Amino acid sequence: MARRPPQGVQMLGSLLAAIAIVAAAIAIVTAHFGPTSSAELDARQERLEQREENIEELQELEEERRERDR
Amino acid sequence: MEDLIEELTRGNVTEVKVLLASIVLGLAVYQVLLAAVTYGWLRLPFLESGAAGWTHRASGDTILVLTVVVAIMCIGYSGFEDGGAHAVVATILLGVFATKVLVVRLGGRISRVLPLLGVSLLILFGITWLTSAGDFLGVG
């Protein structure tokens, strides 16, 4: 029969396995949540605001063009 | 209490509870495996009973702390009233958990019920998770 690793190594290994389980649980659950970090939410908000500004700008330009045409 | 929990979780109360409960469930499954090695029911070529028992206790302490944190968040934020089956099962779980800790501390002949309490705890953790975190994640 193969010899088992020393007691300390066994303890460390089994503890590392527990840490791996915790890491896997965090990865799986946060993947379900999707991007909810404040940095990503801020970036998303900024993109939305930028898009709204662009639309407003385009509308203004369109209105100016119409007025000039009249 | 509600405000404190909201502040500590930055408004992500449910997400934090789901995450902690999922970690507890993962560790609870591992606990049963470690207990099986400790009692000699499962023989692994790389893990002895002593080392498995040591990790079982360390992991168990972690589970206890996380369970108490989740319970405080649940009761402090949502209360008992709207808990339904989840609240009932979770209360039984806390009772069984407290009994297991007491039996471990007392030792002696009463320790023979530890495997039964351990398996019961895993089942209760599973049901509690399914009726809350599982529901939230679309599993339950």
Side-chain angles (χ1 to χ4, degrees), chain B residues 105-123:
Chain B
R105 296 280 165 243
L106 287 174
R109 289 174 70 185
I110 200 168
S111 301
R112 282 184 297 184
V113 296
L114 280 175
L116 178 68
L117 288 172
V119 172
S120 307
L121 262 183
L122 177 64
I123 294 166

Side-chain angles (χ1 to χ4, degrees), chain B residues 27-48:
Chain B
L27 287 177
V29 174
Y30 186 49
Q31 282 290 89
V32 172
L33 190 81
L34 288 171
V37 175
T38 307
Y39 282 104
W41 299 330
L42 178 67
R43 291 182 191 280
L44 298 175
F46 49 84
L47 189 61
E48 283 168 11

Side-chain angles (χ1 to χ4, degrees), chain B residues 10 22 78 105 108 125 134:
Chain B
R10 293 185 173 189
S22 302
S78 313
R105 296 280 165 243
F125 270 126

Side-chain angles (χ1 to χ4, degrees), chain A residues 8-29:
Chain A
V9 175
Q10 289 182 38
M11 285 175 172
L12 191 67
S14 52
L15 210 56
L16 285 175
I19 292 167
I21 289 167
V22 171
I26 291 170
I28 293 165
V29 173

Side-chain angles (χ1 to χ4, degrees), chain B residues 36-94:
Chain B
V37 175
T38 307
Y39 282 104
W41 299 330
L42 178 67
R43 291 182 191 280
L44 298 175
F46 49 84
L47 189 61
E48 283 168 11
S49 166
W54 181 83
T55 309
H56 180 84
R57 283 190 293 278
S59 174
D61 290 343
T62 309
I63 290 175
L64 181 62
V65 172
L66 292 179
T67 304
V68 169
V69 169
V70 174
I72 289 170
M73 284 175 76
C74 263
I75 298 163
Y77 193 77
S78 313
F80 268 112
E81 293 80 19
D82 306 321
H86 171 74
V88 174
V89 179
T91 307
I92 297 169
L93 185 151
L94 291 176

